[in-house]
Structure formats: C-alpha cells, structure tokens
Amino acid sequence: MKKIILSLVAGIMLMPMSVKADEGMWFLMFIERLNHRDMQKMGLQLTPQEIYSINNHSLKDAIVQFNGGCTAELISKDGLVLTNHHCGYDAIAELSTAEKNYLKEGYWAANRKEELKPSSLFVRFFVRMDDCSKRILSVVTPGMSEAEREKAINQEIAKIEKENNEGGKYTVSVRPFFQGNEYYYFVYQDYKDVRLVGTPPESLGKFGGDTDNWEWPRHTADFSMFRIYADANGNPAEYSVNNVPLNPKHHLPVNLSGVKENDFAMILGYPGRTNRWMPAGGIEQNVKFAYPAWVEGSKTGMDNMKKYMVQSDALNLVYASKFAGVANYWKNRQGMIDALTKFGTAKSKAAQEAKFNTWANQPANQAKYGNVVANINKYYDMTNEKSRHDNYLQQLFRTSAFGTISRSLGRQLEMYTKADAAKRAEMAPAIEEMANEMFKELHIPAEKDILAAQLALYAKKAGYALAPTVEKLAKENNGDFTNYVASAFDASIFTSIEKIKAYLANPNDAALTSDPLYVLSNDLTAHIGKRSDELMKAQNDFGASFRLLVEGLRESKIGTTLYPDANSTLRLTYGKVRSLPADKRNDAKVNNYTTLDGQVKKYKKGDLEFDLPTKVIDMNAKKDFGRYADKDGSLHVNFLTDNDITGGNSGSPVLNGKGELIGLAFDGNIEAMAGDVIFDQKLQRTINVDIRYVLWVIENFSGAKHIVDEMTLVK
C-alpha cells in the first residue's frame, strides 16, 4: 500500500496545490497523505484507518454501490440499507401493482417475512484497490493506434481481473484515471439478495417532482430502505427463504443532534462521471450542439409518455420509472447549458489550452505535445453536427421501446430462427420471458405516439446525414410519421405477446428480416455507429491527444485540477454545512435548511407534484415531531452542504466528524449545474435529507418504530 500512495502522490505533486478543501472527489486510501490534515482542521475526528482499512473494519465497509448506479449505506447490524427514494424507484415500481401501489401508498414491512424481493437488485461492497499503472502501460507503445492500444490493455486487464477474483468470489474492475495515464484495479463483492423494507409514499419521497428537481429550497423525503441477505456464513447467495440478514463489518451510527452552519460534513459514495479535464471544444460542443438536442428529444418523449400516464394509476406505473429517469437528465442538461454559458467555461478552458499550447510548442516539448491542441480542436470541429444528430437519435432510443428492438428481442429471434429444433426448444422459454418483461413496461398506443413523434423530430432537426430509412420515409410522408408507425405496428411481429409466440411456433427468416420495426431499428442502430475513415482517424488522434493533454497539463503545472475524474469508483468529498443567500421562498431562519412547515406551505391538494398526505398536514399543525424536532421547535427536512458530488452519489451518507450519519445526499442546485465540468466555490451545493426527517417519516408518520429500533442512535 505504501508503494501505491507514493505513486499517486508523485503524480499529483506535479500540479499546483491551489484547490480549496471542499473541491475534489478523493480516493479513500490516499486520505492520510493528501487530505487528513485539512479535514481535521475542519472538524474530522476519525483517523485515516477508521475511514479506510483493509485489515480492520472501517467506514468503507458501511458504504455500498446500489444496483450499479447509486450509493447506499448500512445502518444496522442486521443489514439494513438506506438509499434515495429515486434510487429504489425501479424496484418499488416493479413490486407495485394497481391494487398494491407501493409507489403511491408507501410500504413498511412489519417483519422480515414481509420484506419484498424484486427480480434483480444488488449491492456492491468495496474490498480493496491497488495500482496497476506500470503493468498496464508496459504493454503499450507510442506507435500503437488507439484500437491497438485498447486491445493490448484489455488483454492485460483480463489477466489482472482473473488473478484477483479468487475463483469468482470477487468482482474485479480495472479502471483508467487521468484519461488513461494511470490505472487502478478495484476488488468488490456483490450481494444479490436485497429486499425492500420500506418506502414513504411518492407524495413524500418525490415531493416537488420535476418542478423542484435540482432546485433549492427543497422539501423531499427522498429515501427508501432495503435489507441485504446472505447465507448462514455471511456469504453472497441467490435468493432463498433460508438466507439471513447480513451482519456487516461496519454500520453507521445515526446522530440526532442536527446540523448548523459551518459544521463539518463528508460524503462517501460512487460518483458516476465528471468531466473536469474536458477540453474547451468538448464543452462548446455540448452547450451548442449535443445538450440542446438531448433536451428537446427528452421533452418529446416525456410529453408523449405523460399524456398516457395521467389516464390511470396502472399506466402511470408502466412509465413511472422511465419517465423519472428521462426527466432527471432533461432538467440537468438544460441546467448545464445555462450554467456553462453563464460562466463562460469553454472560454476559460480555451485560455488554459492556449497557454498549454505555447508550452507544448517549446523545443523541448514539441515532439510529444506540439500537435495536441490542434488534433483535439480538429476532432470537435468534425463532430459538432454529428453530436447533435446522435443526441436526437439517442433520445429516441431512450424513450421508445422499439427504437433498439433489433438489438434486444430481435437479436434473440435472429438466433432462434437460425437454430436447430433442439436449440429452439431450449431458447423459447427465455425469449417468452424476455417478451413478457418487455410488455410490462410499455403500452402500445403510447409507444406509437412516442416513436412517431421522435422520428418526426429526428428527421426535422438532426441534420448531418439521416438514417437512410428515415430520410426516405420523411420524404414520402412529408415529415409526418403517424400513419407509417401505425401500419408498422399493425404489421410487426414485435407488438404483442401473441405475435411473438406465433413466431416462435413458426419461425421464418424472411418474415423477421422484412418486419418494418425490425428494419427501422436495424437501420437506426447501425447508422449511429457509422464512421468515415477520415472521422475514425480524427477520433484516433483525439484519443491519443486528449491523454497527452492531461499528461502535459499535469507536467507543466498549468491548471488546478488535482484529482482524477469520477468514474463510479468509491470517493470521499468533504466540506461543511453552508447556506445560500437569503431566499424569501424559504421560511427557515438560515437558508441552509428547510422545515416541514415550509413543505406544507407548498401543498396543493390533488396536484401530482405537491400533494401531501392529510396526516402530514395534521401532524405539522400539532407540531407532532417527537424526538426528531430541532431545538428551534421545527422539524428540519432538507439541508445544504458544499460537498463536491455528482450523479451516482445519490443515496450517499452525509457524515459528521465522528463518522455518524446526519443526512442523505440526493441532489444539487441548478445554479451550479456546471459542476460536472467546473467546481463553483461560491454556488455549488449538495442537497441532503436531514436524517431526523427520515426517522420521523418512518416512526412517527408511518408507525414503523421497529425499524428505527434496529439502528444505533446517538445524540
């Protein structure tokens, strides 16, 4: 481990030490050397070994990646897991029916037998990490193309993963950092028997809906609870009634004292993706080409889902999860456009690159770095229009169940058609199950409208070179795809379970390859991946040049970023509870928290986003907050910190200096939406659920005190 620390520090010390303490997403294993002293000054009372240790239990053992896209934490000795409501949303929706709608009504298991198992849900524990940069980089040479380099690296990665997975016991992931200038491998252990323990009703868990998303002040109970089960020896196991709750190495104590301005706060989690090293051309491309198309395509899909979702609870459940995911990024991307434009981020990056280019073309550096900036800018110039085109098409894929049908169910039917009778008999049940699962998450009238609207938008706005089938249909139908889609759905074998079963009984290659939805999907999915020889060369040069840009920025000490971009590996960020300027929309005395009274003031009876259970209104009127009231007499709902987080941190624990749970991270503020590209010291905030509000919802509102009794409460 000492070798690893020295290796990273040697690289980092090439950068100027000018980043403030609350910026950065840091590896836990380097905390002692890089951050511990700063954290102590701010209020940390833990040793580095209490945060990260391989041989003894530590904070890392209480943090899990939740279902591959969020973060969660262990909060009891019996495997109780806390994460965001929006992180558990898919599982809650899957377990819900029109008769037992847990999204709408909430759910709390009265005992372990009532905890509900979704079909597919897992958590991932971080075991250890190590530096494999020298080994990986020893297999590449400067003369390799990017494709050759990738092949050589992937071959070495496969060896490292096999060497460290202990016969399949662990999942091993080798990840690049600093744009492929360093590599580390991470060892994980996955648990797949994860069951729903409880969730508040959607009126609390999603209070404010899309209107309040990415906004402050917030008043949202964005949490849900699950439990990890293991075999009798504590090992991962497939679902079984004989499994028992996991006894974790560490679980977080829960602090009931609340927070105040400037209190220390640290967050551990799995941030998904940042682009702090992105060149100016990439930022400009996103702002002017890619993100506007993303926003418009998302809105088109959302509008066509929504007009069916409002028709019934059953249809709302069909599209609730997909709509929530699309809506989240729709608002995020518009916020990114606004923030990056406002702050002139591309301009400041361009100035940095101009300074770098001067350094790069000094005689000592020119051979290695001289063409870096020119190659990067050439690539973006070539791909601006394509990025707009691709984003319109990607939103079609994201919102229409039939845009990629040729790559999912269609591919299975291809293999089925070519198989012999024995193999077909083996494949048929799995294909039927795949089709059944697909049809649970779509409504044919809605799918017709979504696909027709997205095709019309793509044909009208995408520019570049349209997919040939769409270009032909647009000319034939004057840009209106309504009739074409209706007839395609009528003729397709993919639009009902009955048609798919009939095809399985009598497969016919000609029927499949001429199917109108299959033909359309094949054309769209093939088209988005097409690259001319000229573009492939520019892409190759860009990959090598971007890697050299990052290496050169670190070597030349131009710029201020010290840490690698987020890439879904466990990181720690630290800062403090920190208010925003006074806001008349917030009734709190200090604009770093919100109250239940403020939530009730937003209440709109029957509104999809701002309705509330009558019981909440009554309890607020009586100030029935029990032991979770703040010393000021109110019930605090959400609070602000200035931690540096991004997507993937959803559900991350907010901890005080003793490592005690004080809140649950769930959002950021739209004013600092450029945060994935540049950290704003003044405006960037993390929005968190106050843990006292979480417990009040569980115990006082929901009557599930037995769940709170599992936890270790401190004050």
Side-chain angles (χ1 to χ4, degrees), residues 703-715:
K705 184 176 182 294
H706 60 286
I707 294 173
V708 177
D709 289 342
E710 281 190 49
M711 305 175 201
T712 304
L713 304 183
V714 295
K715 190 168 184 177

Side-chain angles (χ1 to χ4, degrees), residues 51-293:
I51 296 173
Y52 175 83
S53 175
I54 295 176
N55 300 317
N56 300 299
H57 73 80
S58 57
L59 281 182
K60 79 167 177 66
D61 299 313
I63 316 301
V64 293
Q65 189 175 40
F66 186 84
N67 215 34
C70 282
T71 304
E73 51 276 355
L74 279 294
I75 56 170
S76 88
K77 63 178 180 58
D78 292 323
L80 190 63
V81 169
L82 178 66
T83 191
N84 284 155
H85 181 270
H86 73 263
C87 294
Y89 201 87
D90 285 356
I92 300 164
E94 178 201 323
L95 293 165
S96 297
T97 63
E99 295 75 29
K100 293 182 179 180
N101 191 335
Y102 303 132
L103 278 179
K104 184 176 181 179
E105 299 159 8
Y107 179 78
W108 294 99
N111 52 58
R112 304 282 165 84
K113 290 183 179 180
E114 292 187 6
E115 294 173 359
L116 305 175
K117 175 69 172 67
S119 61
S120 179
L121 182 62
F122 75 97
V123 297
R124 172 164 288 177
F125 284 89
F126 172 48
V127 179
R128 59 185 172 87
M129 65 179 286
D130 209 341
D131 185 0
C132 56
S133 300
K134 281 188 176 181
R135 178 171 173 179
I136 292 287
L137 296 176
S138 70
V139 303
V140 301
T141 63
M144 284 181 169
S145 69
E146 289 300 289
E148 291 168 339
R149 178 188 174 93
E150 182 179 4
K151 181 179 179 181
I153 287 173
N154 285 341
Q155 288 173 344
E156 199 62 28
I157 283 174
K159 296 175 185 177
I160 293 171
E161 291 176 347
K162 185 176 181 180
E163 290 166 10
N164 290 279
N165 69 17
E166 295 191 18
K169 178 180 179 180
Y170 297 116
T171 297
V172 182
S173 175
V174 179
R175 307 303 298 272
F177 295 87
F178 297 109
Q179 203 57 32
N181 285 293
E182 294 180 11
Y183 286 83
Y184 295 82
Y185 73 80
F186 298 80
V187 179
Y188 303 102
Q189 190 167 37
D190 294 348
Y191 284 77
K192 297 180 181 180
D193 188 353
V194 183
R195 308 178 195 179
L196 175 67
V197 174
T199 176
E202 196 171 29
S203 55
L204 292 178
K206 202 181 174 185
F207 183 81
D210 297 322
T211 299
D212 273 6
N213 192 21
W214 303 105
E215 302 283 351
W216 180 262
R218 291 293 290 276
H219 302 82
T220 309
D222 197 347
F223 77 93
S224 56
M225 305 190 82
F226 295 80
R227 193 182 307 281
I228 306 169
Y229 281 79
D231 67 17
N233 297 315
N235 297 314
E238 295 296 330
Y239 171 78
S240 168
V241 294
N242 297 319
N243 287 347
V244 298
L246 176 70
N247 182 6
K249 294 178 182 178
H250 184 71
H251 70 272
L252 302 177
V254 178
N255 188 287
L256 303 183
S257 298
V259 300
K260 63 182 183 303
E261 185 78 354
N262 292 320
D263 277 357
F264 176 76
M266 66 178 174
I267 292 175
L268 282 74
Y270 286 85
R273 174 64 62 187
T274 56
N275 294 290
R276 302 272 168 86
W277 294 89
M278 179 180 282
I283 298 169
E284 189 84 351
Q285 183 175 97
N286 284 339
V287 168
K288 293 184 176 179
F289 297 90
Y291 289 169

Side-chain angles (χ1 to χ4, degrees), residues 587-623:
D587 66 305
K589 295 176 182 177
V590 181
N591 194 27
N592 62 18
Y593 69 93
T594 56
T595 67
L596 190 65
D597 196 47
Q599 184 182 48
V600 170
K601 287 176 181 176
K602 286 184 175 180
Y603 163 65
K604 297 177 185 177
K605 185 176 181 180
D607 187 273
L608 288 174
E609 296 182 317
F610 293 99
D611 201 2
L612 280 172
T614 302
K615 186 176 180 181
V616 169
I617 299 167
D618 292 342
M619 293 178 77
N620 183 63
K622 297 173 184 176
K623 305 302 176 190

